[in-house]
Amino acid sequence: MTTQNSLEDTKVSVKLKLATLWASFMFLYIYVDYFALYMPSKIEDILKGRVFVFDITQGFLLAALASVTIPALMIFLSVALPAKINRWANIIIAAVYIPFTLFNLAGEAWMHMVFGAVVEVVILCLIIHYAWKWPHIET
């Protein structure tokens, strides 16, 4: 029996859930770094050619871009890849990004960075969960 106030709850595919989780992860990933620029002396350190303990070089910037390119591509790949490859790509890449995300807390970690990392790790765990629990075809 349905009531007049019932809302339709459309089933969302695993692929779409994964893609939106990667998009959410990317927003947080970028904004945590952006807000770090407001921390005292961050801009001065960047102008001196240093980020944390790293010299800003072409290699450093390439590695930094690669670190955001992978989850950015996962937004599309989560929708485009075949299920079996998709499942394992999401599990492996999300699992790799958990320690990577926590490494970003090394040094001076402000509350916004810790909060962002916690939410990012929760999102990565949800990605692993949804990919792991990917529905199988019933035969």
Side-chain angles (χ1 to χ4, degrees):
M1 180 175 163
T2 60
T3 64
Q4 192 170 352
N5 292 335
S6 295
L7 299 174
E8 181 181 352
D9 193 10
T10 306
K11 184 173 168 121
V12 177
S13 74
V14 174
K15 288 183 170 192
L16 187 56
K17 287 177 185 177
L18 292 170
T20 55
L21 284 165
W22 281 113
S24 297
F25 176 82
M26 281 300 304
F27 275 109
L28 283 167
Y29 193 56
I30 292 166
Y31 271 104
V32 167
D33 284 348
Y34 175 75
F35 290 145
L37 295 174
Y38 290 93
M39 295 167 59
S41 80
K42 287 290 182 180
I43 300 292
E44 291 83 2
D45 291 344
I46 291 169
L47 291 173
K48 291 176 188 172
R50 304 266 306 160
V51 172
F52 184 45
V53 296
F54 303 104
D55 290 329
I56 299 173
T57 64
Q58 288 189 44
F60 171 81
L61 293 175
L62 179 61
L65 183 59
S67 79
V68 296
T69 299
I70 294 167
L73 288 174
M74 286 306 295
I75 298 167
F76 169 72
L77 293 175
S78 293
V79 175
L81 288 174
K84 198 170 200 178
I85 296 168
N86 199 336
R87 179 177 186 245
W88 285 110
N90 274 280
I91 291 168
I92 292 166
I93 293 170
V96 167
Y97 269 80
I98 290 171
F100 187 80
T101 298
L102 296 174
F103 171 77
N104 287 331
L105 294 176
E108 184 180 15
W110 282 27
M111 285 189 290
H112 81 281
M113 298 166 72
V114 173
F115 177 79
V118 168
V119 176
E120 287 172 21
V121 168
V122 168
I123 289 171
L124 292 167
C125 288
L126 284 170
I127 289 169
I128 292 168
H129 170 78
Y130 282 118
W132 187 262
K133 297 288 188 177
W134 198 297
H136 290 78
I137 296 174
E138 293 186 29
T139 55

